[in-house]
């Protein structure tokens, strides 16, 4: 669905549409709504094209592949020329409901889509991820799922031309006509419906199209919902795309609270909000993602009872100063809502993921192990958590996860428990001695070329690449707080937002090049995707008023020469 936010290159060069927002005909009860300016003009157009061309190695039409979202029931992708004659400035995609009986199947379909997109992104780069999201099994496939009701809603500059386009698609697919409240639309054998509702072209499930008709006829519209209006009014200008999620209404396997929920990690990182409004803001040299939220009753209660505590930004500042990738989290158990859902989700997404002969999934094997009780033996003692990766070659590569132990006895026992889970997954382990630790185990994993060291000492649990990573985690020679990487990240975020995550992609690319992996099977896609990227910074905690809180992620793009090299 994120692919819809990048459809900007497909519109006409001088849009003359009504500028009508699809949210005016989307039902107010829709828990998921994504919209985009698909025919931008002025600085928004130039910024979107500049960023898109850098990300796609300077292709003149960087988003042309996303026309697949409009292929409708025929399976034939329309040409840009066909669409330019009628496509207006705005497009929106909403999910109106997911049936209780089919929620698990829909969640499985979404998880499968995310896994495929992740795998293709790593092996084939951004083009692979785009293909996964826009192919027959992607966004359009989700809307044909019998349990999912929703639609793609497009503003039009020429309703007659849009109607002719849709009727041609329907005729080719052998669709039959349906009339509802005086409006006729077509339904194809696969269940995809399409038609004109006032001046909007609508493609989606049959019930999704009907809900647009009801809203256009005077039903409650999302555009006028109180939470949507509050978040919309707080958003920055220059937005190319936006996503609105009502997490409390979504619920179920796709919501934010149940075990294995796909949105549990996302919700936890943002403090368990009730609603979310994310905005993509391009510039010639960067892409920014603002995520504005309103707190849930659960979040308010947690905040009132827990005090301030250690923040992710504070954790990040204390990580080793040589890190080129670093993440900081506050109390990890609280971040995850005291639930193992996020851990299960991470384990599921990475299970089976490989880069050539390099098994990434094996490193996450304990998260899916039946021999490990994630709640009792991991989550119950996890406090403030940091992740760092440093070093520019295999000889000095360091990486570790560092977790403050709220229960030292359980954290110490977790070393042996995790080593056992790795053995059950086909690995081997042995005891080792590291100065400053009370217990440590060396683990070798099947298909994973690096040695993993698990240790507990000085109130911290550490999982690192070798003993040097563990020692640096316990006694860093310097910290990120005084580094140029931290200063750059803070400057990129602006608005007084403190970094809780940063990455320098050029260092990672240099590491891959030094190891001769940029053309190796499974790694060439990563190298291709990294070339246009310079750095990433992310942080949370900006208060905007009216109860709205902002998190921001900024992706700085490499210069033209670096991106094309």
């Amino acid at each position: 669905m994120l692919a819809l936010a990048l459809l900007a290159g497909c519109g006409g060069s001088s849009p003359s549409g009504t500028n009508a927002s699809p949210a005016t005909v989307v039902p107010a009860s829709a828990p998921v709504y994504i919209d985009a300016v698909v025919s931008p003009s002025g600085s928004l157009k130039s910024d979107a094209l500049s960023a898109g061309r850098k990300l796609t190695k300077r292709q003149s039409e960087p988003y042309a592949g996303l026309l697949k979202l409009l292929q409708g029931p025929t399976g034939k992708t329309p040409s840009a020329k066909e669409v330019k004659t009628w496509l207006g400035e705005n497009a929106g995609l909403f999910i109106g409901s997911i049936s209780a009986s089919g929620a698990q199947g829909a969640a499985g379909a979404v998880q499968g889509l995310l896994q495929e997109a992740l795998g293709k992104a790593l092996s084939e780069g951004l083009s692979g991820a785009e293909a996964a999201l826009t192919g027959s099994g992607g966004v359009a496939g989700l809307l044909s799922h019998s349990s999912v009701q929703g639609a793609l809603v497009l503003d039009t500059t020429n309703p007659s031309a849009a109607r002719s386009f849709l009727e041609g698609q329907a005729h080719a697919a052998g669709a039959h006509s349906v009339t509802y409240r005086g409006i006729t639309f077509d339904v194809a054998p696969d269940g995809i419906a399409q038609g004109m509702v006032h001046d909007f072209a609508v493609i989606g499930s049959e019930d999704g199209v009907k809900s647009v008709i009801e809203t256009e006829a005077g039903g409650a519209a999302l555009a006028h919902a109180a939470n949507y209006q509050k978040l919309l009014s707080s958003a920055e200008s220059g937005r190319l795309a936006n996503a609105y999620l009502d997490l409390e209404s979504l619920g179920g396997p796709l919501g934010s609270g149940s075990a294995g929920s796909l949105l549990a990690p996302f919700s936890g990182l943002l403090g368990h909000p009730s609603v979310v409004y994310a905005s993509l803001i391009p510039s010639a040299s960067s892409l920014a993602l603002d995520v504005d939220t309103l707190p849930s009753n659960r979040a308010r209660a947690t905040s009132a009872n827990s005090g301030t505590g250690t923040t992710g930004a504070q954790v990040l500042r204390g990580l080793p100063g040589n890190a080129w990738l670093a993440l900081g989290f506050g109390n990890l158990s609280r971040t995850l809502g005291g639930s193992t859902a996020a851990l299960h989700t991470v384990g599921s997404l990475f299970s089976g993921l490989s880069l050539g002969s390099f098994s990434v999934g094996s490193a996450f094997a304990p998260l899916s192990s039946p021999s490990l009780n994630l709640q009792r033996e991991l989550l119950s003692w996890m406090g403030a958590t940091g992740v760092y990766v440093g070093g520019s070659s295999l000889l000095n590569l360091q990486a570790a996860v560092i977790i403050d132990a709220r229960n030292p006895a359980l954290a110490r026992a977790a070393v042996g428990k995790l080593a056992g889970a790795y053995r059950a997954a086909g690995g081997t382990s042995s005891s080792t001695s590291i100065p400053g630790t009370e217990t440590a185990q060396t683990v070798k994993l099947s298909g994973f070329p690096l040695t993993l060291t698990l240790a507990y000492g000085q109130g911290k649990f550490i999982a690192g690449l070798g003993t040097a990573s563990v020692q640096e985690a316990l006694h860093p020679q310097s910290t990120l707080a005084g580094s140029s990487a931290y200063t750059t990240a803070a400057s990129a975020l602006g608005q007084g937002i403190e970094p809780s995550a940063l990455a320098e992609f050029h260092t990672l690319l240099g590491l891959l090049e030094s190891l001769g992996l940029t053309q190796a099977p499974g790694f060439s896609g990563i190298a291709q995707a990294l070339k246009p990227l310079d750095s990433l910074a992310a942080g949370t905690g900006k208060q905007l008023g009216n109860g709205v809180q902002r998190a921001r992620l900024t992706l700085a793009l490499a210069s033209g020469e670096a991106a094309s090299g």
Side-chain angles (χ1 to χ4, degrees):
M1 288 182 284
L2 180 61
L4 177 64
L6 299 178
L7 196 57
C10 300
S13 59
S14 55
S16 56
T18 61
N19 295 326
S21 169
T24 60
V25 294
V26 169
S29 59
V32 179
Y33 173 66
I34 301 172
D35 65 12
V37 181
V38 295
S39 293
S41 58
S43 60
L44 180 58
K45 178 179 180 178
S46 59
D47 286 343
L49 287 176
S50 176
R53 286 168 181 163
K54 286 182 178 180
L55 288 170
T56 56
K57 299 179 70 173
R58 309 185 72 79
Q59 293 179 17
S60 60
E61 293 290 345
Y63 312 118
L66 300 173
L67 283 164
K68 291 180 181 179
L69 288 175
L70 299 182
Q71 67 184 13
T74 66
K76 177 185 176 183
T77 302
S79 68
K81 184 177 180 180
E82 289 178 276
V83 175
K84 284 173 75 172
T85 60
W86 58 265
L87 184 62
E89 185 169 347
N90 304 295
L93 173 71
F94 76 93
I95 294 177
S97 65
I98 302 173
S99 67
S101 60
Q104 196 66 48
V110 172
Q111 180 168 310
L113 175 59
L114 292 176
Q115 286 177 314
E116 182 183 3
L118 177 61
K120 285 187 174 294
L122 293 174
S123 62
E124 302 174 21
L126 293 177
S127 60
E130 178 190 300
L133 290 169
T134 60
S136 59
V139 175
L142 290 177
L143 288 179
S144 65
H145 198 285
S146 59
S147 66
V148 179
Q149 305 302 330
L152 177 66
V153 183
L154 306 169
D155 181 26
T156 64
T157 58
N158 187 330
S160 296
R163 186 181 301 277
S164 296
F165 172 84
L166 295 179
E167 289 176 348
Q169 295 276 81
H171 177 75
H176 66 276
S177 295
V178 172
T179 299
Y180 183 72
R181 294 199 173 189
I183 294 179
T184 300
F185 59 94
D186 298 298
V187 182
D190 65 357
I192 291 293
Q194 55 185 14
M196 294 297 297
V197 180
H198 192 52
D199 287 339
F200 290 101
V202 185
I203 305 171
S205 66
E206 182 174 348
D207 282 351
V209 174
K210 287 180 178 179
S211 69
V212 172
I213 294 172
E214 292 170 354
T215 306
E216 197 277 333
L222 181 64
H224 308 304
N227 283 340
Y228 181 83
Q229 285 190 327
K230 182 180 291 187
L231 291 168
L232 182 65
S233 65
S234 298
E236 300 290 321
S237 59
R239 305 187 309 278
L240 176 64
N242 312 280
Y244 173 82
L245 299 176
D246 185 335
L247 298 177
E248 292 184 334
S249 296
L250 190 57
L254 286 170
S256 60
S258 61
S261 163
L262 291 172
L263 289 178
F266 173 73
S267 175
L269 289 173
L270 296 174
H272 302 284
S274 61
V275 289
V276 176
Y277 189 82
S279 303
L280 183 68
I281 306 172
S283 75
S285 59
S286 68
L287 288 172
L289 181 68
D290 282 353
V291 184
D292 296 345
T293 60
L294 289 171
S296 62
N297 290 333
R298 171 188 179 186
R300 293 189 186 97
T302 300
S303 176
N305 295 329
S306 63
T308 55
T310 303
T311 66
Q314 290 171 326
V315 172
L316 186 87
R317 289 198 296 270
L319 292 175
N322 67 339
W324 48 261
L325 186 151
L327 306 171
F329 306 94
N331 184 311
L332 188 61
S333 178
R334 189 182 304 145
T335 297
L336 300 180
S339 167
T340 60
L343 297 178
H344 283 297
T345 299
V346 171
S348 297
L349 284 176
F350 285 95
S351 63
L353 182 63
S354 297
L355 297 174
S357 60
F358 192 139
S359 174
V360 177
S362 64
F364 296 87
L367 299 183
S368 304
S369 173
S371 66
L372 199 65
N373 185 311
L374 296 183
Q375 178 65 53
R376 183 178 66 249
E377 295 166 350
L378 289 184
L379 197 62
S380 64
W381 57 263
M382 290 178 166
T385 301
V387 180
Y388 87 95
V389 182
S392 57
S393 71
L394 190 59
L395 294 176
N396 63 7
L397 182 64
Q398 294 182 347
V401 178
I402 310 155
I403 308 174
D404 286 348
R406 295 186 294 116
N407 185 317
L410 289 177
R412 188 184 304 110
V415 173
K417 294 284 187 180
L418 283 167
Y422 279 121
R423 289 195 301 271
T428 62
S429 69
S430 60
S431 298
T432 188
S433 177
I434 302 175
T437 67
E438 299 176 23
T439 182
Q441 291 269 340
T442 295
V443 178
K444 294 183 178 179
L445 310 176
S446 176
F448 194 83
L450 303 173
T451 299
L452 184 65
T453 300
L454 308 174
Y456 173 82
Q458 301 175 33
K460 298 178 184 296
F461 172 92
I462 305 102
L465 297 181
T467 58
S469 297
V470 175
Q471 291 174 322
E472 182 68 14
L474 290 173
H475 302 289
Q477 299 179 45
S478 63
T479 62
L480 276 174
S483 70
S484 60
Y486 183 88
T487 301
T488 299
S491 176
L493 291 173
Q495 297 190 8
I497 298 175
E498 294 183 315
S500 55
L502 62 84
E504 295 180 332
F505 297 109
H506 52 86
T507 305
L508 174 56
L509 182 60
L511 176 62
L512 294 177
E513 290 175 342
S514 71
L515 297 175
L517 294 176
T518 54
Q519 300 301 320
F523 287 89
S524 58
I526 296 177
Q528 177 188 352
L530 289 176
K531 284 184 178 179
L533 309 180
D534 182 70
S535 62
L536 175 147
T540 63
K542 175 70 174 181
Q543 300 291 336
L544 301 180
N546 294 322
V548 179
Q549 180 167 296
R550 171 165 296 167
R552 169 170 283 186
L553 182 150
T554 301
L555 184 65
L557 304 177
S559 63
E561 295 77 12
S564 59

